[in-house]
Amino acid sequence: MAIVGGGLAGSLLALRLAELGHGVDVYERRPDPRLGGAEGGRSINLGLSKRGIQALTEAGLIDAVMPMSVTMRGRVIHAPDGSTRFQPYGKDRGEVLHSIDRNELNRLLLDRAERYPQLRLHFGHRLVAIDKAARELEFEAGGASLKVRPDWVVGADGAFSRARQEMQRGERADYHQEYLEWGYKELTLKPRADGSSAIELEALHVWPRTHGLFVSHPNRDGSHTLTLFLPFEGPDSFATTRNEDEVRALFATYFPDLVPLLPQLVEEWMAHPVGSLVTTRTAPWSREDWMVLVGDACHAVYPFYGQGMNSAFEDCSALMAALARQHGDRAAAFADYERSRRPHTDTLAELSKANFVELRQKVQSPWFLARKRLDVALNRLLPRTWLPLYTMIAHTTMPYGDALARSQRQERILVGAAAGALAVVALGAWVALVG
């Protein structure tokens, strides 16, 4: 069988299938990432949480992956005046995230996949066409054309998937793509001379502003990868921050506490590209018993819930489980997989969009913080009954749609209880007044 795309989802799925004895050819358009640097414009740090951990555990890789990560116990919120506030991710030390370098993880997955003799990696192979009638893939490699006829195919080639485009060409397929009006640029906060971190290492740092948002992921060497989200256009945007004076003015206005920590700010700003953020939804995810999609190829999401990699890894687990349930009937397995996943990844897309507003505007609100504390208190009091939405998304494998529905039920209970308490208070006041 063939996998189009040798990124995180493609390489994890390849080794899972090879482990079962499948012959697997992985075709990746980029050069071998183990021989070069990161792909320009892509975020290099990711937050590994329960869903990704579960998928890596099933693949027997978690013991190799965890030493590559840095534990993030919660968020450190940086206010405009330079003060900070720590917000734990959950009620205990088990509810944490793990910061990991995308490229380092990808290299590990490829190394492990390559251990299987029946698995072959083909880099520099760009998919150009699919002949669905002949069940044939055509690649371009080194200026030459290569045609292959695998028994079946997985499209794992990202948000702008050529596999998806070719699979759905001429079909009654739905496809929706939405760009965020904000882009992102990455900078580096280097460690101190002694190798220690200049800010708290075991945390996700957030600088929430109306006109921008900084997020920082820690690295094992004491550095932090900073990601600045700004509008593409308008005041205080990437369009108005193009020269040295404009860059310094933006940081002096909104992020003055970062300025002394970034001595090469201007040089990095000019050297690093601006990335785009896209959400995609599509259907169908498969064609007959021959082709199926995983990861961003079928459901790219904004990064603000930290679930892109985790949901892609969960796709791999879900597809493997569907193949096992259907006992070799691939058409039934592909339909089963999509039916079990697509409603929930659609929900994740909406949650990720909503969390952008939370990170920018709500994390400093006293009402928001009080509501979060109440959620945690109820979770401690009723651990099996009451689960905060973030806990369900990041720290369980509960399907995304089920998590949202449960959160909404809990919200109705809380609103009803508050209304009942107010009614009792009002009744007591009335009795006191007339009595």
Side-chain angles (χ1 to χ4, degrees), residues 125-288:
H125 282 63
R126 183 174 66 88
L127 179 67
V128 294
I130 294 178
D131 185 332
K132 290 179 285 188
R135 296 195 165 191
E136 182 177 81
L137 307 177
E138 180 181 354
F139 295 92
E140 181 184 86
S145 176
L146 171 69
K147 294 183 179 181
V148 298
R149 290 186 177 180
D151 291 337
W152 57 289
V153 183
V154 174
D157 51 339
F160 305 102
S161 169
R162 185 59 181 264
R164 179 192 63 234
Q165 294 172 19
E166 291 293 312
M167 184 189 81
Q168 294 180 347
R169 190 182 302 279
E171 308 292 339
R172 294 194 305 274
D174 294 324
Y175 178 69
H176 174 75
Q177 175 178 291
E178 176 184 295
Y179 274 100
L180 190 65
E181 63 272 18
W182 290 47
Y184 70 93
K185 184 184 285 279
E186 292 196 333
L187 304 171
T188 304
L189 196 164
K190 294 183 178 181
R192 297 189 180 105
D194 62 1
S196 64
S197 175
I199 56 178
E200 169 64 33
L201 184 67
E202 293 190 340
L204 179 82
H205 292 258
V206 182
W207 288 258
R209 308 290 185 265
T210 303
H211 293 83
L213 170 68
F214 248 120
V215 177
S216 165
H217 282 82
N219 300 304
R220 285 180 297 159
D221 65 357
S223 68
H224 294 254
T225 300
L226 300 172
T227 306
L228 174 62
F229 299 93
L230 278 182
F232 280 108
E233 306 291 340
D236 299 317
S237 66
F238 284 117
T240 61
T241 315
R242 292 177 173 168
N243 59 46
E244 179 176 346
D245 290 341
E246 290 170 343
V247 172
R248 294 193 185 283
L250 178 81
F251 275 73
T253 302
Y254 297 110
F255 310 107
D257 57 327
L258 272 173
V259 173
L261 302 177
L262 300 173
Q264 296 179 306
L265 167 62
V266 174
E267 292 81 358
E268 272 204 291
W269 185 278
M270 299 305 175
H272 292 184
V274 176
S276 298
L277 301 168
V278 65
T279 288
T280 63
R281 295 186 183 89
T282 194
W285 286 10
S286 64
R287 176 181 172 81
E288 300 171 350

